[in-house]
Amino acid sequence: MSDAWPPRLRSFFQARLSELHITDVHPYLSALEQVAQEELIAEGLRAEATSTSECGEVERCSHRRAGQRLRELGLLWLDALRNPRPAAEEGSSPEQLRQLRARQRCTKEAFEAQERIHRALRERGELRLTEDELEMYSNCAKVVGSKSWSQATVQWVLDELDETGAGEDARLLDVGSSYGAFLSYLKKSVALDLAPAIPGVWRGDFLQLEIKEREGFEGEDYEVDEHGELQSLRAGAFDAVVLSLVLSFLPTPQLRRAMLDRARRCLREDPPGSLFVIEKTSLIPRDVQEGRLARQAFQEALEAAGFQSQTFLSLGQLDGEQRPHAHAWHLRTAPARSSSPLPHFKEEGIEGNTTNGDAFCHRRCPDIPRNA
């Protein structure tokens, strides 16, 4: 299948492997060829050259598809080599590349299953999951939460907390936590989810939990009943609240605003508490201008709930992809509130004033001192 390598593509991978201090690149290129050929054969698309002139178009199509598959697999492998996980993945065998491919497919299936649940919720117009949907969502979260893009968002939140002065002593509420991403980093973190993926994450609906004022509150940050079930949270108890892929899970803008209002109640006022919102970039139009306006409208909806923006950036990547997977906002509590706009995503259209789209440059908003 060596003829399937476009010369520039071969040179590109040879150069990238050399940058990773891999001196013998041939085993990697051979493994890529073998696995790409296996996948093409499985699809009924052979990449070998044909000798009959009437099959010239088939030949060109086959070679083009072979080159595309080599590029796709090669980028996946380069990503794994740059970000090694278990030592068992080191090396250059086709089996290791097949394992990477299988994990990529598993991740894709998990995202697709989550999206099916999201569509069903939007159609029903309410946050009501069946038992099967809850189980599926819990299983998918174990896959999605382990990906490098998710780990990148966790590290970003921790770095931002360090900048505010809260650091490792921060009281953090992770809503929709699923797999408890912050439990091993912050001793005072509280994690809850509709369908916890691991022990240590409380089962609970944040939109239904009671939020009590300090007077008469028995626990430090939260209360549980005699069965060990989470019952209530203390208002103003937390330095930070994380909503990662939570707002997009809710089927209506009104429920998203209710989630923001409840998060605001849980945060301290002085010094200001931090709200971290992480959502997939795919929820925003890909067109540069439309995307900027949509992000601005979304940020205005976040601020309307009583927050002021401090940081926005795009971060994290799926295996084998170059485009950032997530948009991330760090906001601080602020006194001003408004009943509108409400947080929309691209499927629902955009509402609100979007005249200042340039505010979404990848920069730190200067309005709040770093240690406020």
Side-chain angles (χ1 to χ4, degrees):
M1 187 180 170
S2 58
D3 290 340
W5 278 100
R8 291 179 62 183
L9 185 61
R10 178 185 285 273
S11 298
F12 170 80
F13 282 120
Q14 286 175 329
R16 300 292 83 75
L17 290 168
S18 297
E19 290 172 359
L20 295 170
H21 307 292
I22 296 173
T23 55
D24 186 5
V25 302
H26 298 293
Y28 291 88
L29 299 180
S30 297
L32 283 169
E33 290 184 14
Q34 181 176 334
V35 176
Q37 180 74 355
E38 290 172 359
E39 292 190 359
L40 291 170
I41 291 174
E43 295 175 9
L45 298 169
R46 294 181 178 274
E48 292 92 339
T50 57
S51 57
T52 55
S53 58
E54 62 267 22
C55 293
E57 185 60 33
V58 175
E59 177 184 341
R60 285 192 294 274
C61 179
S62 297
H63 279 286
R64 184 167 60 251
R65 185 61 179 268
Q68 292 171 345
R69 188 54 54 87
L70 285 167
R71 181 180 183 278
E72 182 183 347
L73 287 168
L75 290 175
L76 174 66
W77 209 348
L78 284 173
D79 179 69
L81 291 170
R82 293 189 188 102
N83 303 284
R85 297 181 186 90
E89 290 184 6
E90 297 177 358
S92 57
S93 75
E95 181 57 32
Q96 288 155 343
L97 183 54
R98 294 188 195 102
Q99 291 174 5
L100 282 172
R101 189 59 143 181
R103 280 197 296 274
Q104 185 189 49
R105 291 194 182 102
C106 183
T107 301
K108 181 180 179 181
E109 291 171 359
F111 276 112
E112 289 174 348
Q114 285 188 338
E115 181 53 35
R116 287 195 297 273
I117 295 173
H118 292 171
R119 284 198 300 269
L121 289 174
R122 287 194 294 270
E123 290 171 2
R124 295 197 287 264
E126 59 183 1
L127 187 59
R128 177 177 54 81
L129 282 79
T130 66
E131 288 299 321
D132 288 342
E133 287 171 339
L134 281 170
E135 182 179 0
M136 182 184 299
Y137 207 88
S138 178
N139 292 334
C140 291
K142 298 173 186 177
V143 176
V144 174
S146 67
K147 306 313 293 179
S148 58
W149 79 267
S150 182
Q151 295 161 9
T153 64
V154 169
Q155 187 58 55
W156 172 72
V157 169
L158 295 174
D159 291 343
E160 291 288 305
L161 285 175
D162 284 341
E163 292 285 349
T164 67
E168 62 183 15
D169 292 325
R171 286 184 167 86
L172 181 140
L173 176 63
D174 189 7
V175 179
S177 177
S178 185
Y179 67 102
F182 295 95
L183 294 177
S184 59
Y185 295 99
L186 301 172
K187 294 178 290 186
K188 299 178 182 178
S189 64
V190 177
L192 65 102
D193 195 275
L194 288 171
I198 64 167
V201 177
W202 298 103
R203 182 181 297 275
D205 182 353
F206 184 58
L207 289 173
Q208 300 296 324
L209 280 178
E210 185 178 4
I211 300 176
K212 294 183 179 180
E213 297 301 326
R214 181 183 296 273
E215 293 78 10
F217 197 87
E218 296 180 2
E220 185 176 9
D221 299 331
Y222 60 93
E223 293 176 331
V224 298
D225 63 16
E226 64 274 15
H227 305 294
E229 296 291 331
L230 185 63
Q231 293 297 301
S232 61
L233 299 165
R234 179 167 67 82
F238 295 92
D239 302 298
V241 173
V242 175
L243 302 177
S244 180
L245 306 187
V246 169
L247 295 181
S248 56
F249 182 77
L250 300 173
T252 68
Q254 291 76 18
L255 283 173
R256 293 173 204 142
R257 176 54 190 263
M259 179 72 72
L260 291 171
D261 287 339
R262 294 176 71 82
R264 180 70 173 71
R265 284 196 62 201
C266 289
L267 285 167
R268 69 188 187 189
E269 294 281 356
D270 186 22
S274 294
L275 173 68
F276 297 97
V277 176
I278 299 102
E279 290 293 347
K280 293 184 291 185
T281 57
S282 59
L283 295 167
I284 300 294
R286 299 191 70 168
D287 177 81
V288 174
Q289 181 64 15
E290 290 182 8
R292 183 181 296 119
L293 295 176
R295 292 194 302 271
Q296 175 64 15
F298 189 75
Q299 177 170 314
E300 289 175 355
L302 297 176
E303 293 175 341
F307 296 97
Q308 188 173 16
S309 298
Q310 174 147 319
T311 311
F312 167 78
L313 77 165
S314 299
L315 77 168
Q317 295 171 337
L318 294 179
D319 293 343
E321 294 189 8
Q322 301 300 309
R323 185 171 180 258
H325 184 66
H327 287 321
W329 287 265
H330 177 191
L331 305 104
R332 306 294 296 276
T333 53
R337 299 195 201 191
S338 172
S339 59
S340 64
L342 299 177
H344 285 71
F345 294 105
K346 68 180 182 182
E347 294 90 347
E348 306 155 333
I350 305 300
E351 74 171 32
N353 177 18
T354 60
T355 57
N356 189 23
D358 288 337
F360 270 91
C361 298
H362 289 201
R363 60 176 173 82
R364 182 169 300 285
C365 305
D367 304 308
I368 302 178
R370 295 298 299 170
N371 294 317

